[in-house]
Amino acid sequence: MKKSLKFLLHDVLLRDVDITAKGFFYFLAGFFFYTLSIETVLFLIFLNLNILTIVLILITLLISIIFAGLIVDFSKNRMNLLVIVSIIILIGDIIAALQEAHFQVIGAMLIIFASTIYITNLQTVIIHESTILNRGRLTGYLFGFALIIASVVFTITAQNLWAIVGVELCYVLFNYLYIVKEYSYIETKERLASNLKLRELVFQKPIKGYLFSFTMLGFILGYSYPLSFNFFSSSVLYLALFVLFLILTGISLDNNGRKWCFSAGLFNAAVIIVFEGIFGSLFSDFLIGITIPFCIVVLFTFTGDFTTKRNAIRYRGQIFCVFLLLFIIAICCGGLVKGLFTEISQLHPSLAWFVEIKNRFNIFLLIVMILFMMPFPEILSAKEADWADTIKSIYIFNKNSICLYYKDFTDSSEIDHLPSEDLITSGLTGIMALISEITNEKKNLRIIDKENSKILFSYGKHVNIALISTRSLPILYKKMEIFMKTFEREFEYELTHFKGKINVFLENTDPIIERYFK
């Protein structure tokens, strides 16, 4: 029973989460820095709460979203950009710590502008390192744990801005002196090549449908937002609820599918809004504590899923910002419509029917959205989820076509009739070279398609990988890419000083294969 429970928990929580502990820590540090920056901005708004401050912050946010995607997509070295933007955020914190009201507002505006670029950039790095099978959980875990740590730090520092500056300075130094040297992400012209424009991508059928639904959810959230809600007066229990739904949303997205989880989130929001009308403001707080974390994880996961194909990689930052911009604008519009309805009902108490419409308007919109989503395609398809069943065998061979490792996943008797591994890898190397000569192109061969068998190729610094599968799935290419990095890192010395001995690869590669392909 214990083994089965352990297996079930691993299957739900950690299945296909192919990221090292060190890599998770790097990302957690980045999300912590962003979360602490946002909490600082909220605190500064709370200290200088007036209409002018809110308008300035909102205008800064909208402008930063418009430019963030362009800046991030223009930058090739994403880690260097993280360092630069984190320094700008630190400067904003220093300005805000000068205590004067106008300095605090200016500091908050600078933090907002730089933080938007920062999280957009960090999102593209997360997309690069995650897959469609683990992106929801990674986002939920990272945001959830980062929010806990940032809230603890914010409490310990007693909301002292200079203490927060000290904490963020430590991160900036750690990021510059250690993380950037340990991890790099530099885009190439080949990966960024696209024959589509941003407008054409956004208006593709599945993307525009989910974009419209996500925008309408923003409108409903703005319309339902309790004006009396105070972030800093919320309890530890409320923070726990917020973190819990960050993590639960990520788990649900990866295990139950994107479309079902999004529809279930809309249904939950509708139920809470109904109870809000019966029991009052308590359920308004629940609406914020459940819907906002749901929207955060959905935003990161969906925009990641939409930008994994070759034509979309070039626009990763911009697509993320399009979703975010429309969502923020919709929230503002929802708030304005609610204010308008409230003003009319107060000026004309006799319009009882109008008050009833005001209270039920968002429920009607949610029901329409759920029905509207019915024909949407599921992003996380069964083909992707069953990737392990498609793999037949894998060959790892060096640039001289010597097979370093081979594994068959089918347990078939046909393996006895196959040529030797070295003969197969020599043939594959010859085919790759011949096709390059015939086409006169420097691009590497990605796939050989023969009816029910596909040979997928991945290329590293020292070795190449050929994966034989029944289907060509994006998840398989991603797993090959991650496996390649791990393999070349684990055997860096042996590959660099290779003298023909392959025993070290045959004896030590199985654990890595188990980790990424089983």
Side-chain angles (χ1 to χ4, degrees):
M1 179 65 183
K2 290 183 178 179
K3 287 186 178 180
S4 62
L5 180 60
K6 182 179 179 181
F7 175 81
L8 178 63
L9 289 175
H10 181 276
D11 188 55
V12 172
L13 302 178
L14 298 175
R15 185 190 70 255
D16 296 313
V17 181
D18 304 323
I19 187 171
T20 63
K22 185 184 291 187
F24 185 84
F25 174 74
Y26 292 164
F27 285 124
L28 181 60
F31 274 86
F32 158 73
F33 179 76
Y34 172 75
T35 307
L36 185 61
S37 301
I38 294 303
E39 289 195 11
T40 303
V41 170
L42 292 173
F43 179 61
L44 292 171
I45 295 174
F46 176 73
L47 290 178
N48 302 276
L49 188 60
N50 56 64
I51 297 297
L52 180 60
T53 300
I54 294 175
V55 170
L56 288 174
I57 293 294
L58 184 58
I59 292 174
T60 303
L61 177 61
L62 295 176
I63 293 174
S64 65
I65 295 173
I66 293 171
F67 285 99
L70 295 171
I71 293 171
V72 170
D73 288 337
F74 178 78
S75 172
K76 300 295 187 296
N77 193 324
R78 301 294 165 82
M79 297 306 294
N80 284 351
L81 181 60
L82 276 182
V83 173
I84 294 170
V85 178
S86 62
I87 293 173
I88 297 174
I89 294 174
L90 181 62
I91 293 172
D93 282 315
I94 293 173
I95 294 174
L98 297 177
Q99 298 299 324
E100 296 287 341
H102 58 280
F103 281 133
Q104 290 183 340
V105 175
I106 293 171
M109 291 170 64
L110 188 58
I111 295 170
I112 279 287
F113 185 82
S115 294
T116 306
I117 301 173
Y118 181 91
I119 195 60
T120 304
N121 189 31
L122 190 59
Q123 159 72 343
T124 65
V125 181
I126 287 288
I127 297 171
H128 181 69
E129 291 298 325
S130 62
T131 69
I132 195 172
L133 300 179
N134 63 28
R135 191 168 292 122
R137 282 169 295 167
L138 273 179
T139 302
Y141 296 158
L142 289 169
F143 258 119
F145 295 141
L147 181 58
I148 293 174
I149 299 170
S151 298
V152 169
V153 169
F154 208 79
T155 303
I156 292 174
T157 57
Q159 301 170 355
N160 184 295
L161 294 177
W162 284 112
I164 294 172
V165 168
V167 173
E168 294 193 342
L169 177 61
C170 291
Y171 167 78
V172 171
L173 292 174
F174 176 67
N175 191 17
Y176 177 72
L177 297 175
Y178 188 73
I179 296 181
V180 173
K181 293 181 179 179
E182 287 286 317
Y183 174 82
S184 65
Y185 170 30
I186 302 175
E187 282 292 5
T188 62
K189 288 185 178 180
E190 181 183 353
R191 279 172 50 82
L192 295 178
S194 175
N195 55 13
L196 294 177
K197 295 181 179 180
L198 176 63
R199 182 180 65 257
E200 294 172 326
L201 274 173
V202 170
F203 281 98
Q204 286 181 348
K205 192 170 184 179
I207 299 181
K208 70 179 180 181
Y210 281 105
L211 176 60
F212 174 78
S213 297
F214 191 69
T215 303
M216 289 303 299
L217 181 58
F219 179 88
I220 293 168
L221 189 61
Y223 187 86
S224 306
Y225 185 82
L227 298 178
S228 60
F229 182 78
N230 183 357
F231 179 84
F232 289 95
S233 66
S234 56
S235 64
V236 175
L237 182 62
Y238 187 84
L239 175 64
L241 177 70
F242 200 97
V243 172
L244 177 64
F245 271 86
L246 280 171
I247 295 174
L248 288 180
T249 301
I251 293 173
S252 180
L253 283 168
D254 284 350
N255 286 279
N256 300 315
R258 312 299 200 231
K259 176 182 174 180
W260 183 93
C261 181
F262 193 48
S263 301
L266 296 178
F267 178 76
N268 287 337
V271 171
I272 293 171
I273 291 171
V274 170
F275 278 99
E276 176 196 359
I278 300 173
F279 297 103
S281 62
L282 172 64
F283 279 87
S284 296
D285 293 349
F286 271 111
L287 179 68
I288 302 301
I290 291 175
T291 310
I292 288 184
F294 170 78
C295 291
I296 290 172
V297 181
V298 165
L299 171 66
F300 274 72
T301 306
F302 278 50
T303 54
D305 294 341
F306 292 142
T307 55
T308 53
K309 294 182 179 180
R310 286 278 171 175
N311 277 329
I313 294 176
R314 178 180 176 180
Y315 303 107
R316 274 179 176 169
Q318 293 173 70
I319 289 177
F320 173 79
C321 287
V322 166
F323 272 76
L324 182 59
L325 179 64
L326 292 179
F327 182 71
I328 297 296
I329 292 175
I331 288 177
C332 297
C333 291
L336 290 173
V337 170
K338 180 179 182 178
L340 178 63
F341 279 10
T342 302
E343 188 71 19
I344 293 175
S345 61
Q346 289 176 349
L347 291 175
H348 304 281
S350 59
L351 298 177
W353 59 271
F354 189 79
V355 175
E356 189 65 23
I357 291 176
K358 176 180 80 73
N359 293 335
R360 299 291 176 261
F361 184 62
N362 42 18
I363 300 176
F364 170 75
L365 287 179
L366 281 169
I367 294 173
V368 170
M369 284 175 59
I370 293 173
L371 295 175
F372 176 74
M373 283 189 59
M374 290 299 180
F376 284 11
E378 173 57 74
I379 303 171
L380 178 58
S381 65
K383 292 181 180 180
E384 294 282 354
D386 297 334
W387 61 268
D389 298 332
T390 69
I391 301 177
K392 290 184 175 182
S393 57
I394 187 171
Y395 294 85
I396 305 171
F397 51 102
N398 66 6
K399 303 300 180 178
N400 295 320
S401 71
I402 298 174
C403 185
L404 307 178
Y405 180 86
Y406 160 76
K407 184 172 182 63
D408 177 71
F409 293 87
T410 62
D411 297 325
S412 173
S413 59
E414 295 179 3
I415 187 174
D416 299 329
H417 306 291
L418 292 175
S420 69
E421 291 85 2
D422 284 324
L423 185 59
I424 291 175
T425 54
S426 296
L428 292 174
T429 303
I431 292 172
M432 290 153 55
L434 181 61
I435 291 178
S436 295
E437 288 292 330
I438 294 174
T439 59
N440 196 26
E441 289 186 0
K442 294 182 179 180
K443 290 183 179 180
N444 292 318
L445 179 65
R446 296 271 294 172
I447 182 173
I448 297 176
D449 190 342
K450 186 181 183 299
E451 295 181 356
N452 294 326
S453 293
K454 328 289 180 185
I455 305 179
L456 316 180
F457 295 96
S458 182
Y459 303 86
K461 182 179 179 181
H462 300 287
V463 299
N464 300 326
I465 296 177
L467 184 75
I468 301 179
S469 171
T470 58
R471 292 181 182 140
S472 173
L473 301 175
I475 184 64
L476 293 180
Y477 284 106
K478 188 64 182 181
K479 283 186 167 289
M480 290 167 67
E481 179 185 333
I482 299 173
F483 171 83
M484 176 78 75
K485 291 179 182 178
T486 305
F487 183 87
E488 293 196 329
R489 184 175 62 249
E490 292 288 330
F491 299 106
E492 184 176 6
Y493 179 83
E494 291 82 359
L495 293 171
T496 306
H497 301 86
F498 183 71
K499 295 181 179 179
K501 296 182 179 180
I502 63 172
N503 287 343
V504 64
F505 305 108
L506 297 176
E507 295 169 359
N508 299 291
T509 304
D510 278 342
I512 311 176
I513 290 289
E514 291 281 337
R515 178 179 174 187
Y516 292 107
F517 293 108
K518 282 207 171 180

